[in-house]
Every structure is written in structure tokens, then in C-alpha cells.
Amino acid sequence: MTTLKKGDQAPAFSGVDQEGKTHQLVDYAGKKLVVFFYPKANTPGCTAEACDLRDNFAKFEAQNYALLGVSADSAKAQAKFKDKYEFPFPLLADEDKSVIEAFGVWGPKKFMGKEYDGIHRTTFIIDEKGFIEEVITDVKTKVHASQVLKM
């Protein structure tokens, strides 16, 4: 699973958001970047997590953070999710899982006794120079902003 750790260089990813715009790690040089991976748009946990980040977005901006959500949903599903909840940050539609796999968050999961492969809810905080500052694997969806900002 997640093999990236604090101090590692972040993967030089490239992904497309809900509007077809490309986002790359180099686009965020000089800013702190929060890349949060979630299993599926419009599901209860993912909605709670993204809404908490949205509700605290001004605090992130005030501290020079940019946010980027990532799941394997289609651009259309990501656009609906973003519009429905008015998220002020882009959502990558990583259908080929290239960004998900680059960050090492795709792997075996268990739910109700069944095993399957899926996205492990994980957040990476990347510093202004592209190095991983923190990896949050125990995401608390309803108070995730406070985990990132240490409020």
C-alpha cells in the first residue's frame, strides 16, 4: 500500500479535473498542496470529508494551501459532485488510476466480509518544494480540515 512517507519527493503527477483541465505537481510550486484521495464521489464519507475541507477553505488559502481531490470517478461524476456541493477546489477524474497508483493508495480492501481492490482514503500534504510533509491515513471525514491544519 502507501509506501510514500514524510520527506519523500512527491510523485510528478499529471491528471485531468472535472472540466478537462490538466493539473501537475509543478503547477503548485511555491504553495503547500493537499492532495486528498477518496473512494467515490457523492458517498456519505467522501461528501463529509470534502464538505469539511470546503467549509474551511478560507483557512487553507490564508496559509498558502491549494487543495486537490482525487478519485477514479469520471469527469462527469466529479463535475456533478463539485457543482452539487460548490467545492472551491478541483477534483481529478483519475479513471486510469495513474495518479492514484503513483501515490500508492490503490490496493486490497475489505467491506462487509468481501475483499476487493479500491482507493484507500489518504491525504498527502506536500510542501512548497514538492516534498511530502505529512501522510494522513487515518482520515476523520467530518473533521479532516483540523487534521490537516492542526486546529
Side-chain angles (χ1 to χ4, degrees):
M1 262 307 299
T2 305
T3 52
L4 293 172
K5 59 192 178 312
K6 182 178 179 168
D8 287 350
Q9 175 73 50
F13 69 87
S14 179
V16 178
D17 72 12
Q18 74 287 342
E19 293 166 356
K21 181 179 181 233
T22 300
H23 294 263
Q24 300 178 71
L25 179 62
V26 295
D27 299 338
Y28 297 94
K31 278 191 165 289
K32 288 188 174 200
L33 177 61
V34 176
V35 183
F36 65 100
F37 291 89
Y38 56 95
K40 190 154 181 57
N42 269 311
T43 55
C46 299
T47 300
E49 178 182 10
C51 286
D52 181 57
L53 295 172
R54 174 202 65 202
D55 294 347
N56 289 282
F57 190 69
K59 292 174 187 165
F60 284 103
E61 281 192 313
Q63 294 185 40
N64 197 35
Y65 281 95
L67 276 72
L68 199 54
V70 186
S71 77
D73 291 300
S74 68
K76 184 177 179 182
Q78 295 289 48
K80 279 185 179 176
F81 189 39
K82 185 179 189 316
D83 292 346
K84 181 175 181 181
Y85 295 101
E86 299 177 356
F87 297 136
F89 42 80
L91 302 175
L92 295 189
D94 192 26
E95 291 184 273
D96 68 358
K97 301 179 190 70
S98 61
V99 178
I100 292 163
E101 288 174 353
F103 278 85
V105 298
W106 182 263
K109 296 175 76 169
K110 265 189 179 169
F111 182 68
M112 296 178 76
K114 291 188 185 234
E115 280 200 33
Y116 62 96
D117 283 342
I119 298 171
H120 288 255
R121 187 185 308 278
T122 309
T123 297
F124 294 85
I125 302 168
I126 301 168
D127 73 13
E128 296 87 343
K129 294 181 180 158
F131 288 91
I132 296 172
E133 212 171 74
E134 189 174 354
V135 180
I136 302 171
T137 54
D138 184 22
V139 173
K140 309 270 187 262
T141 58
K142 293 180 180 166
V143 292
H144 193 41
S146 64
Q147 284 184 287
V148 175
L149 296 170
K150 303 194 179 354
M151 300 185 299

